[in-house]
Amino acid sequence: MTVDSYLFDDETLISPQVQSCLPQNYSIRPLGSRDYDRGHLQVLGVLTDIGHHSPQDWLDQFYYMKKRNDTYFSLVIIDHASDRVVAVGTLLMERKFVHCNGKVGHIEDIAVANDQQGKKLGLRMIEALQYIGARNGCYKVILDCAVKNVPFYEKCGFVQKESQMAWYVPQAEQVAHL
């Protein structure tokens, strides 16, 4: 059996408080190299279209992110009874010139499997990512969300600030990634 490699190895970045609040037989940890088989993409599919990934495509992305383990902090919550990923989330670390070369954490891709909702796993994921941001010296942690999700994020301690804008690159102008 192949041993998991994890996106990052710093155990001090996993909140003991969050771990203690998870249901019995659940744990939170960094994304692992074997999480493709544990349903990582299926959970992300709750959010949006994930496209097609072969196992190798997924591993290539995993190892790209692992090489930048001071930027990508993806977490998963595992249900040990089924050995599957049931919740996911990522904190991206942005290094700035403002705020004396400060850091901003960007929370992305929060998703909980449909059959796992109502167990506060989304809340625990947000708390865990906030903990990582604080431990890494971020002066703020931000996220974008649908208007319908604002009340949930307010319960997590976030406040609405300004407006989000997006520009989507037209399909004809998209350049294939190298």
Side-chain angles (χ1 to χ4, degrees), residues 115-126:
D115 67 337
Q116 299 289 314
Q117 294 181 8
K119 297 180 180 180
K120 297 190 175 188
L121 301 179
L123 171 63
R124 301 300 172 230
M125 182 61 70
I126 293 295

Side-chain angles (χ1 to χ4, degrees), residues 48-103:
T48 190
D49 175 38
I50 56 168
H52 174 73
H53 297 75
S54 71
Q56 190 58 54
D57 292 337
W58 188 92
L59 272 177
D60 290 347
Q61 182 70 358
F62 173 85
Y63 284 112
Y64 173 90
M65 294 167 75
K66 184 173 174 58
K67 286 181 187 172
R68 293 149 182 89
N69 68 3
D70 64 342
T71 302
Y72 295 98
F73 297 90
S74 291
L75 298 177
V76 295
I77 296 177
I78 300 291
D79 173 359
H80 292 285
S82 62
D83 191 33
R84 72 182 181 109
V85 172
V86 296
V88 299
T90 297
L91 181 84
L92 297 172
M93 197 77 61
E94 177 188 10
R95 296 175 187 282
K96 311 278 281 184
F97 284 107
V98 299
H99 290 270
C100 297
N101 294 339
K103 298 177 195 171

Side-chain angles (χ1 to χ4, degrees), residues 4-145:
D4 258 340
S5 172
Y6 296 104
L7 205 57
F8 59 93
D9 297 319
D10 187 350
E11 291 181 21
T12 67
L13 293 179
I14 302 299
S15 167
Q17 175 68 28
V18 168
Q19 183 61 56
S20 70
C21 290
L22 290 174
Q24 188 174 359
N25 293 319
Y26 285 62
S27 65
I28 191 165
R29 63 161 172 74
L31 182 67
S33 60
R34 293 180 50 231
D35 288 339
Y36 176 91
D37 294 327
R38 291 186 180 101
H40 177 250
L41 291 178
Q42 286 79 8
V43 176
L44 281 173
V46 170
L47 290 176
T48 190
D49 175 38
I50 56 168
H52 174 73
H53 297 75
S54 71
Q56 190 58 54
D57 292 337
W58 188 92
L59 272 177
D60 290 347
Q61 182 70 358
F62 173 85
Y63 284 112
Y64 173 90
M65 294 167 75
K66 184 173 174 58
K67 286 181 187 172
R68 293 149 182 89
N69 68 3
D70 64 342
T71 302
Y72 295 98
F73 297 90
S74 291
L75 298 177
V76 295
I77 296 177
I78 300 291
D79 173 359
H80 292 285
S82 62
D83 191 33
R84 72 182 181 109
V85 172
V86 296
V88 299
T90 297
L91 181 84
L92 297 172
M93 197 77 61
E94 177 188 10
R95 296 175 187 282
K96 311 278 281 184
F97 284 107
V98 299
H99 290 270
C100 297
N101 294 339
K103 298 177 195 171
V104 174
H106 296 264
I107 291 181
E108 294 284 338
D109 301 336
I110 301 298
V112 177
N114 287 326
D115 67 337
Q116 299 289 314
Q117 294 181 8
K119 297 180 180 180
K120 297 190 175 188
L121 301 179
L123 171 63
R124 301 300 172 230
M125 182 61 70
I126 293 295
E127 291 170 340
L129 296 171
Q130 289 170 316
Y131 182 85
I132 290 172
R135 299 283 298 200
N136 274 288
C138 290
Y139 69 90
K140 69 179 176 179
V141 174
I142 60 176
L143 58 80
D144 294 325
C145 69

